[in-house]
């Protein structure tokens, strides 16, 4: 990030302060296709897509040097089963059954990759049918394994990735997934975890996306408030049990070709696990508020089980990223502040991240539900960390 882009971004967020967020974002007319890596900078992506929260598709030229594109695909453009078996055949992978609905997802089993590839071959030979159902290898964390080096190169556009940086720091998890499957496999309607943005590259084959901007999903809820499992199912489109369906704009449709990279902005639903937030938990158990001892604590427990995080863990997430940025800030000298783009986080990105963490943490500290959480064991205390961030921001104001 260069200084001009940081100043532009900070001005953008200042303009949003005090403004009520729009409940429904309009659907763009199209999804832009980015052709040439040489003429598309980080600043172009940041200003044109990340800040306005708009999807785009990057051409296969952006992933041309990836090891997975060189080794996982045959000259005819098919998956290279022999290579995959030789290198990963004994690795146990998660496999979902696309033909079975379990709430708004699919049940999973685990098997060695060689068994899944054997199924895949049989599925093709059976004219894309199998008595075992339509099985989809999904959420495989191959990149947690050091042997996965060289599979991909992180695009500079996604170099500031707080979620994966957090998990890499703890060395327990990541949000880098691999999906494999034959024609007919799919992922149910969902938004990505924690309303984060995501990006996805097709190594081979084609993939069709249905994208809904934030807020459009509200028109798809049924009379019980539930979201659809499959927005393309005839039963959903014809029975119309969703009162607001007529008010929902058609989704953006994207056909993703081999090598292309799709950017899915924050909060955009598409056809993949809907996150339950604290307000949703409180609505569900609100009738017991006056009779349930320590109701607010129980809401945090439920939120943790449903969405994978609660207020304490969210603070820990912010703290880890904040402390890493504060360390980087100490290394920034007067001659470095005009640093532009590169393979890592530059000074301007560090300064920008500190300002965003401070703003998010400030909103958490004053949140009435957070104030009901016991924070006595948190170190540093949220208010103290916020003060550190604000002091660093003040010292860097001229930069």
């Amino acid at each position: 990030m260069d200084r001009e882009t940081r100043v532009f971004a900070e001005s953008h967020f200042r303009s949003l302060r005090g403004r009520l967020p729009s409940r429904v974002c309009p659907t763009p007319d199209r999804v832009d296709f980015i052709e040439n890596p040489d003429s598309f900078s980080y600043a172009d992506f940041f200003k044109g897509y990340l800040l306005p929260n708009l999807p785009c598709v990057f051409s296969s030229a952006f992933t041309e040097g990836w090891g997975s594109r060189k080794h996982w695909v045959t000259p005819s453009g098919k998956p290279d089963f022999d290579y995959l078996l030789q290198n990963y055949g004994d690795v146990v992978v998660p496999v979902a059954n696309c033909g079975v609905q379990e709430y708004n997802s699919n049940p999973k089993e685990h098997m060695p990759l060689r068994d899944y590839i054997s199924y895949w071959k049989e599925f093709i030979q059976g004219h894309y049918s199998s008595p075992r159902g339509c099985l989809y290898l999904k959420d495989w964390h191959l990149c947690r394994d050091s042997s996965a080096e060289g599979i991909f190169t992180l695009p500079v556009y996604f170099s500031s990735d707080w979620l994966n940086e957090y998990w890499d720091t703890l060395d327990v998890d990541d949000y880098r997934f691999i999906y494999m499957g034959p024609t007919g496999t799919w992922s149910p309607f969902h938004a990505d975890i924690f309303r984060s943005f995501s990006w996805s590259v097709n190594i081979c084959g084609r993939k069709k996306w249905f994208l809904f901007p934030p807020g459009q999903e509200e028109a798809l809820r049924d009379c019980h408030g539930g979201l659809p499992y499959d927005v393309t199912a005839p039963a959903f489109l014809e029975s119309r049990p969703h009162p607001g369906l007529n008010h929902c704009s058609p989704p953006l449709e994207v056909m993703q070709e081999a090598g292309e990279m799709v950017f899915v902005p924050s909060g955009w639903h598409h056809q993949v696990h809907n996150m339950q937030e604290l307000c949703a938990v409180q609505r569900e158990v609100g009738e017991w508020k006056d009779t349930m001892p320590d109701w607010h604590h129980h809401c945090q427990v439920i939120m943790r089980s449903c969405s994978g995080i609660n207020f304490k863990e969210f603070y820990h997430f912010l703290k880890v990223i904040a402390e890493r940025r504060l360390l980087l800030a100490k290394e920034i000298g007067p001659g470095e502040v005009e640093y532009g783009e590169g393979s890592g986080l530059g000074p301007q990105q560090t300064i920008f991240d500190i300002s965003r963490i401070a703003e998010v943490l400030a909103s958490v500290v004053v949140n009435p539900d957070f104030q009901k959480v016991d924070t006595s064991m948190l170190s540093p205390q949220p208010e103290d960390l916020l003060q550190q961030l604000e002091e660093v921001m003040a010292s860097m104001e001229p930069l």
Side-chain angles (χ1 to χ4, degrees):
M1 176 183 285
D2 56 31
R3 187 180 187 281
E4 190 274 332
T5 304
R6 176 177 67 84
V7 171
F8 178 90
E10 290 173 348
S11 174
H12 168 84
F13 284 112
R14 277 196 300 272
S15 71
L16 298 179
R17 288 175 188 165
R19 192 188 299 179
L20 290 175
S22 173
R23 291 183 61 84
V24 180
C25 296
T27 304
D29 295 333
R30 59 189 173 84
V31 176
D32 289 345
F33 186 77
I34 315 301
E35 185 71 48
N36 189 354
D38 296 330
S39 59
F40 190 72
S41 67
Y42 178 82
D44 293 331
F45 170 71
F46 195 92
K47 294 178 184 179
Y49 302 96
L50 190 61
L51 272 185
N53 210 41
L54 294 173
C56 63
V57 179
F58 298 79
S59 76
S60 60
F62 287 82
T63 62
E64 194 170 13
W66 284 23
S68 51
R69 288 196 60 196
K70 294 177 180 177
H71 304 303
W72 291 14
V73 186
T74 67
S76 63
K78 303 293 184 182
D80 192 332
F81 290 143
D82 292 337
Y83 180 90
L84 293 170
L85 286 169
Q86 181 179 346
N87 288 272
Y88 310 110
D90 293 328
V91 177
V92 175
V93 296
V95 176
N97 190 334
C98 296
V100 179
Q101 179 177 354
E102 192 173 80
Y103 300 102
N104 265 30
S105 190
N106 309 115
K108 283 184 180 177
E109 59 180 310
H110 289 78
M111 64 180 70
L113 179 63
R114 66 177 67 259
D115 290 354
Y116 180 72
I117 289 179
S118 176
Y119 156 82
W120 192 343
K121 292 177 177 177
E122 293 171 1
F123 188 82
I124 295 172
Q125 292 168 357
H127 303 288
Y128 295 92
S129 179
S130 168
R132 297 174 62 185
C134 185
L135 304 185
Y136 191 13
L137 189 164
K138 59 190 303 186
D139 301 331
W140 177 19
H141 291 263
L142 175 60
C143 295
R144 284 195 305 223
D145 186 344
S146 60
S147 67
E149 293 177 4
I151 288 176
F152 79 105
T153 303
L154 179 66
V156 66
Y157 314 103
F158 312 117
S159 55
S160 183
D161 179 352
W162 293 5
L163 277 177
N164 277 312
E165 182 179 352
Y166 172 72
W167 287 117
D168 289 346
T169 301
L170 300 186
D171 196 25
V172 294
D173 204 353
D174 70 356
Y175 288 115
R176 304 179 187 97
F177 304 121
I178 290 174
Y179 291 67
M180 296 183 185
T183 298
T185 52
W186 63 292
S187 296
F189 182 69
H190 76 288
D192 289 323
I193 190 165
F194 307 147
R195 292 298 190 269
S196 61
F197 69 74
S198 64
W199 54 279
S200 177
V201 175
N202 247 4
I203 304 304
C204 64
R206 308 175 81 199
K207 186 174 183 179
K208 190 172 186 179
W209 294 72
F210 298 88
L211 300 165
F212 292 82
Q216 291 281 358
E217 76 280 359
E218 295 303 321
L220 303 179
R221 294 188 184 276
D222 59 24
C223 56
H224 303 291
L227 288 170
Y229 171 70
D230 179 5
V231 295
T232 67
F236 167 74
L237 297 172
E238 294 169 7
S239 63
R240 298 190 179 274
H242 302 71
L245 189 59
N246 290 330
H247 304 292
C248 182
S249 300
L252 284 171
E253 297 188 17
V254 173
M255 189 65 75
Q256 184 185 17
E257 305 292 346
E260 293 178 353
M261 178 166 59
V262 171
F263 168 62
V264 181
S266 171
W268 280 63
H269 280 70
H270 47 285
Q271 282 241 21
V272 213
H273 214 153
N274 201 22
M275 171 181 150
Q276 189 170 8
E277 300 171 350
L278 179 59
C279 58
V281 173
Q282 291 175 338
R283 285 196 302 269
E284 292 293 329
V285 298
E287 61 185 285
W288 294 290
K289 183 175 182 178
D290 297 328
T291 58
M292 180 186 291
D294 209 1
W295 180 81
H296 290 284
H297 169 72
H298 286 292
C299 285
Q300 292 290 321
V301 172
I302 295 170
M303 183 170 69
R304 170 68 177 83
S305 66
C306 291
S307 61
I309 198 167
N310 59 23
F311 263 133
K312 282 186 179 179
E313 289 167 327
F314 184 62
Y315 170 71
H316 187 251
F317 162 69
L318 289 177
K319 185 193 81 162
V320 168
I321 304 301
E323 290 177 341
R324 289 173 63 85
R325 293 300 181 273
L326 290 172
L327 284 174
L328 289 174
K330 291 180 180 179
E331 301 172 2
I332 298 176
E336 298 177 286
V337 296
E338 291 303 325
Y339 175 87
E341 296 180 21
S343 58
L345 295 177
Q348 298 295 340
Q349 183 74 57
T350 298
I351 297 169
F352 175 73
D353 284 357
I354 288 173
S355 71
R356 298 305 303 145
I357 297 167
E359 185 161 334
V360 173
L361 182 55
S363 69
V364 170
V365 167
V366 299
N367 184 285
D369 291 305
F370 181 75
Q371 292 174 350
K372 295 180 177 70
V373 175
D374 180 8
T375 61
S376 60
M377 300 302 291
L378 298 181
S379 179
Q381 285 290 290
E383 294 82 359
D384 295 337
L385 178 59
L386 179 59
Q387 183 177 348
Q388 291 181 50
L389 294 168
E390 290 173 341
E391 288 174 353
V392 169
M393 287 167 55
S395 70
M396 291 183 168
E397 194 66 34
L399 306 183

